[in-house]
Structures are given as C-alpha cells and as structure tokens.
C-alpha cells in the first residue's frame, strides 16, 4: 500500500498497517515522523535496531517481538538503514500475526528495489516515499509554526526560506531560534 507523505504528515494515525517503510532523502521529514510516532505512542516501549544487526541475528528481533512485557502496553520497533537485504526477514514477519507496529527507515530506494516493491504491493504493509521539500512545503511549515506571531509577513517568510535552503532540519533549527527570541514580541525583519 502506498501512502503520500503529506497525508501521513497531517496525521500519523492514518496508517493502519503494522509494517511501515519510510524511504527517501528527506531526512528532516523522517526525523519529524519518528518524533510524531513517539509522541502518539507515549506508553509504548520503543525498540531500535539496525538492519545489519538483524540480518546477523534475526532471533534477537523475533525474541523481542514475541516477548510480552507486563509493564508496557505494546512495543514499537524502528529498523534503520534498510535496503533489499532485509526482504527475506520481512517475508518471515508477514507470515506471523503481529500486533506491534514496525517502522523501517531507508535512504533512497530505486523503483525496482525488492523491499520497496514488497511494501508497495502488499496490503499488509505501507510504503511512504519521503521526497525533498520544495518552496511551497517549506512556506507552509513556516506559516504553520509562526502563525501566532505578530509581524509575520511575506518578507519574513522569504528570508527564513532562503536561510533554510529547502532543508527541513535547518528550517526547524531556525524556527526554534525564532520562536525563542521573539517570544511575546513582534517579529522584526531587522532583528531577524
């Protein structure tokens, strides 16, 4: 199943599947998604793996998947640095019934990638491509984060846009500084 990234960005709970692949070059978006997942599942235990560790010893993963905790309600799994080598493990996971969410994160995956095709064609899996931001998406982020501030105008938005260089990580750092500096103040282009 393929989801559009802007659909997921609006509400992470729009994903119904338990196996979810995020792939692409927008590292800022992926970082935000991880934060949203953690905040939506505050009572869950987050368990992180790297693909290479799971390939060397898949039993670690299955042991954690089957281990039921008395204290935590459920578990969430992150698997980082995913590529086609994990396809066999994913097929094994699909064979068992899982109630926990498993999030996989990959860099750019080609259209012919085995793991990407597996996630896109399966009704049990979700695939979300994380494409680079453009001017419109960056402007929307700026306007949403600073909408309660006085003095926000097109010149301010343009200046922030230029300084971020369409990089969401850099943009969020800039916005964090602006929110802190102009707290209870009007945004002034000269001070900015």
């Amino acid at each position: 199943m393929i989801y559009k990234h802007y659909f997921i960005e609006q509400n992470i709970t729009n994903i119904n599947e338990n196996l979810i692949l995020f792939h692409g070059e927008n590292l800022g978006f992926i970082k935000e998604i991880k934060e949203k997942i953690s905040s939506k599942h505050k009572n869950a235990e987050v368990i992180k793996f790297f693909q290479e560790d799971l390939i060397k010893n898949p039993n670690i993963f299955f042991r954690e998947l089957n281990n039921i905790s008395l204290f935590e309600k459920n578990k969430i799994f992150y698997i980082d640095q995913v590529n086609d080598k994990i396809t066999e493990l994913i097929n094994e996971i699909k064979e068992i019934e899982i109630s926990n969410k498993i999030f996989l994160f990959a860099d750019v995956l080609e259209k012919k990638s085995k793991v990407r095709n597996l996630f896109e064609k399966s009704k049990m899996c979700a695939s979300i491509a994380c494409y680079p931001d453009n001017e419109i998406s960056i402007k929307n982020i700026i306007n949403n984060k600073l909408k309660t501030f006085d003095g926000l105008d097109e010149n301010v938005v343009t200046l922030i846009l230029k300084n971020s260089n369409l990089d969401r990580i850099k943009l969020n750092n800039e916005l964090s500084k602006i929110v802190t500096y102009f707290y209870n103040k009007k945004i002034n282009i000269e001070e900015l």
Side-chain angles (χ1 to χ4, degrees):
M1 174 76 63
I2 300 173
Y3 288 95
K4 300 293 183 189
H5 77 279
Y6 54 83
F7 181 69
I8 302 307
E9 189 171 19
Q10 293 169 357
N11 189 354
I12 192 73
T13 58
N14 287 332
I15 304 173
N16 298 320
E17 293 77 11
N18 287 339
L19 284 165
I20 303 124
L21 171 68
F22 290 92
H23 60 93
E25 58 190 287
N26 193 337
L27 300 178
F29 176 71
I30 291 173
K31 181 180 177 191
E32 284 180 16
I33 286 298
K34 285 181 177 181
E35 291 168 359
K36 286 181 182 183
I37 292 167
S38 295
S39 70
K40 290 284 183 194
H41 302 281
K42 288 181 181 169
N43 295 330
E45 179 183 2
V46 177
I47 301 170
K48 299 178 183 182
F49 293 104
F50 288 100
Q51 172 187 276
E52 288 303 316
D53 297 331
L54 295 181
I55 290 172
K56 289 177 187 171
N57 190 357
N59 292 333
I60 296 171
F61 179 75
F62 287 109
R63 206 173 16 244
E64 279 295 337
L65 191 62
N66 294 322
N67 185 12
I68 299 170
S69 173
L70 298 174
F71 303 106
E72 301 291 335
K73 292 182 180 173
N74 59 3
K75 296 178 183 179
I76 293 183
F77 295 91
Y78 289 166
I79 304 174
D80 286 312
Q81 299 175 349
V82 170
N83 59 35
D84 285 346
K85 293 178 184 176
I86 201 165
T87 306
E88 188 177 312
L89 182 67
I90 297 302
N91 283 323
E92 288 180 44
I93 294 168
K94 283 176 56 179
E95 295 297 319
I96 60 176
E97 188 174 321
I98 57 170
S99 59
N100 298 310
K101 295 268 189 192
I102 302 170
F103 297 94
L104 295 95
F105 301 95
D107 289 334
V108 177
L109 295 174
E110 298 295 325
K111 200 75 160 145
K112 60 186 177 184
S113 163
K114 290 177 188 176
V115 72
R116 179 176 172 177
N117 283 320
L118 176 69
F119 275 81
E120 288 179 350
K121 292 178 180 171
S122 174
K123 294 185 184 210
M124 297 171 54
C125 302
S127 174
I128 299 99
C130 305
Y131 297 114
D133 288 306
N134 57 28
E135 275 191 38
I136 295 169
S137 62
I138 294 291
K139 282 183 178 182
N140 286 337
I141 293 168
I142 294 168
N143 286 320
N144 284 336
K145 294 234 178 153
L146 300 179
K147 65 184 172 190
T148 60
F149 284 81
D150 290 334
L152 182 65
D153 61 18
E154 193 59 37
N155 292 331
V156 169
V157 172
T158 303
L159 180 61
I160 298 169
L161 176 72
K162 286 180 182 176
N163 284 342
S164 73
N165 200 24
L166 300 179
D167 179 346
R168 193 181 288 222
I169 293 175
K170 189 172 182 180
L171 172 69
N172 286 329
N173 287 337
E174 294 293 318
L175 290 174
S176 176
K177 292 175 193 174
I178 291 167
V179 167
T180 302
Y181 183 80
F182 290 103
Y183 181 74
N184 285 335
K185 291 188 204 174
K186 182 178 178 180
I187 295 177
N188 180 326
I189 191 87
E190 285 79 28
E191 289 181 54
L192 186 65

